[in-house]
Amino acid sequence: MKRLFIFGLGYTASVIARAMREEGWMVAGTGGGNIPFEDEDKVREGLATASHVLSSVPPAEGVDPVLARYGDALKHDWLGYLSSTGVYGDTAGAWVDETAPTGGGRRSARAEADAEWLRRGARVFRLPGIYGPGRSALDRVREGKAHRIDLPGQVFSRVHVEDIAYGVIAALDAPVGAYNLGDDLPCGQNAVIEEACRLAGVAQPPLLSLDEAALSPAARAFYAENRRISNGKAKRVLGWRPRYPTYREGLRSLV
């Protein structure tokens, strides 16, 4: 029986776990009411019986907690890590692929963890903005929490959570390395909000400046970076194709 152990069964990893179980895998992991991360005996027991290991745990206080606590037990032939396209930093809207340098952006700890997983022979999945059921522009629009920010030229990429799961499955027999999993149409956030308003049948929020929007520091930092993510390597090497190639198909699937 093929067995996958996942560190951090949160929103994205839980979708991956469900997809893997549908493929006939046994899946265990930490978080989400499963094995407590701090229970070393049970975690190490789970790792000892696993054939594959995937981590979705981000760095905390500058340290990757999985590598720090369980790195000595990660001797598996297949390792996976859910990273972020934030490792590329700001590219002023230019396209970026896996050959681009990392570590120059605001997520230095994430870039260091990304590099360490690669050194350990992992498949590293670099993810842009993640959306899906219960976590999308449609939800923010319906809750009255959506913003349209007046930042001409600001562009970013996104990916439906189910397409991440399909990408991980596609990489089970793939070479070690980094893979960008993003959709085919990077665009400004305003276009996504406007489409969500159209689908939900509600008025668009007003167009505001960054200062007028009074965003949280984390949300404001999101707008400080501007890049288009290329998914060409994932298509070429993994044979992966997003089932939701743009935000339009993705949002329609959530109505």
Side-chain angles (χ1 to χ4, degrees), residues 3 7 38 50 59 62 83 99 102 109 111 117 123 127 132 136-137 146 151 167 170 174 178 194 222 229:
R3 296 177 181 270
F7 284 100
E38 297 79 13
S83 184
T99 65
T102 63
W117 281 95
R123 285 79 178 163
L127 310 176
S136 75
L151 280 177
E194 290 160 9
F222 163 81
I229 298 301

Side-chain angles (χ1 to χ4, degrees), residues 41-234:
D41 289 341
K42 288 187 178 179
V43 170
R44 290 182 180 274
E45 180 181 342
L47 291 174
T49 59
S51 57
H52 295 59
V53 177
L54 175 72
S55 174
S56 72
V57 179
E61 300 180 357
V63 175
D64 184 307
V66 172
L67 295 178
R69 191 158 191 167
Y70 298 108
D72 62 303
L74 301 179
K75 309 298 184 183
H76 305 74
D77 290 336
W78 195 97
L79 297 174
Y81 178 63
L82 301 188
S83 184
S84 165
T85 55
V87 300
Y88 297 119
D90 179 37
T91 67
W95 286 94
V96 62
D97 65 15
E98 294 86 348
T99 65
T102 63
R106 58 190 171 90
R107 297 187 177 182
S108 58
R110 172 70 90 173
E112 291 170 4
D114 180 298
E116 180 58 27
W117 281 95
L118 283 174
R119 281 193 290 270
R120 288 171 175 261
R123 285 79 178 163
V124 172
F125 306 97
R126 293 175 179 162
L127 310 176
I130 301 169
Y131 72 100
R135 188 177 295 187
S136 75
L138 275 171
D139 299 285
R140 295 194 298 277
V141 161
R142 289 165 174 159
E143 295 166 2
K145 297 179 180 178
H147 294 92
R148 288 196 305 145
I149 306 298
D150 188 13
L151 280 177
Q154 199 274 344
V155 177
F156 81 108
S157 295
R158 64 204 56 77
V159 64
H160 193 289
V161 67
E162 291 179 8
D163 281 326
I164 299 172
Y166 305 141
V168 171
I169 291 172
L172 291 173
D173 297 316
V176 169
Y179 298 94
N180 292 338
L181 298 181
D183 72 12
D184 293 338
L185 185 63
C187 69
Q189 175 75 341
N190 290 349
V192 181
I193 296 300
E194 290 160 9
E195 178 68 2
C197 289
R198 187 187 70 80
L199 291 170
V202 302
Q204 297 176 9
L207 192 63
L208 304 175
S209 70
L210 269 177
D211 290 336
E212 289 171 333
L215 300 174
S216 68
R220 195 179 182 96
F222 163 81
Y223 286 98
E225 295 184 347
N226 185 6
R227 58 182 167 265
R228 290 174 169 87
I229 298 301
S230 170
N231 60 17
K233 180 182 177 182

